[in-house]
Amino acid sequence: MTSLMSCQDNLLYTASSPLPSQQWNQHDTLTYTIPPPPEDTEAEMSIYARVTQVFEYRSISARVWLESGGSVVGAYTLQIPTAKDSVTQGKDSSERLLPTAAQTPLYSDFISSKQPIRLKAGHEYTLKVAHIMRKYQIDNISHVGITVEKASPNGKP
C-alpha cells in the first residue's frame, strides 16, 4: 500500500495506541499530539488499525477531529477497509508503526486513505479519533494509530 510505503523523509508524525482489552468502545477517544511544524505544511493524515483473529467487519468507520489552540479546525470521517485485499501483514514500514510480528503472532494491519490537512508553523495540533460504528464495542482490535506525512507534490508518491 502506498500509504505504508511512503518515504520516511516525508514522515511528520506517527503514533499507535494499544487497546489492552482488544476492544474499541465508542466512548474510547484516542488522542495524539502533533508537535508544531517549523513551517506551514500541506500534509496527509491516515489512520490505521491492527486487528487480531478473524475480524467481522469489511471496514471500520472513524471520526477524526483536528484541533489547535482548543478549537476544532477540521473534522473528517475516514474508512479503514478491512477486506482481505487490503491486508499488509506487517510488511514494509508498518513494522515501525506497530509491534513486530514476534510480539503479536496473529494480526493484520489496515490503513485508511490519506486525508489532506494543513498545518501552520508554530501551532501544536491534537488529533482525536473515535469509531462511529453502529455497534458500541468492536472486538479484536489491538492497536489504532495515525500517520501524518508531508503531502506529495502534485499527488505523486
Side-chain angles (χ1 to χ4, degrees):
M1 302 182 94
T2 56
S3 297
L4 288 176
M5 291 191 267
S6 37
C7 180
Q8 197 162 355
D9 292 342
N10 289 335
L11 185 65
L12 297 172
Y13 180 81
T14 188
S16 172
S17 295
L19 303 174
S21 63
Q22 296 185 0
Q23 298 170 333
W24 192 10
N25 296 321
Q26 284 180 338
H27 72 270
D28 294 337
T29 300
L30 307 172
T31 302
Y32 306 93
T33 302
I34 302 171
E39 59 189 21
D40 288 358
T41 305
E42 297 294 326
E44 296 173 322
M45 163 196 61
S46 54
I47 57 175
Y48 54 88
R50 173 168 281 179
V51 299
T52 60
Q53 304 178 17
V54 177
F55 194 68
E56 65 181 290
Y57 301 101
R58 294 190 54 76
S59 68
I60 301 168
S61 297
R63 190 75 170 154
V64 181
W65 295 270
L66 178 63
E67 298 179 356
S68 181
S71 298
V72 175
V73 295
Y76 315 95
T77 300
L78 297 176
Q79 298 290 320
I80 304 171
T82 58
K84 287 186 180 183
D85 58 348
S86 60
V87 176
T88 62
Q89 297 297 339
K91 297 176 185 170
D92 52 67
S93 64
S94 64
E95 290 184 13
R96 75 173 155 71
L97 302 175
L98 299 171
T100 65
Q103 295 168 313
T104 55
L106 301 173
Y107 73 91
S108 297
D109 294 336
F110 301 95
I111 192 161
S112 72
S113 58
K114 294 179 180 181
Q115 172 65 49
I117 58 174
R118 179 173 289 141
L119 305 175
K120 293 185 178 184
H123 291 238
E124 184 174 88
Y125 290 89
T126 301
L127 281 168
K128 294 183 177 180
V129 182
H131 86 73
I132 54 172
M133 303 287 284
R134 284 186 287 207
K135 190 173 179 183
Y136 174 77
Q137 177 177 292
I138 302 174
D139 296 324
N140 300 321
I141 297 180
S142 67
H143 291 77
V144 174
I146 65 161
T147 300
V148 178
E149 301 171 290
K150 291 179 187 175
S152 302
N154 302 325
K156 296 179 182 175

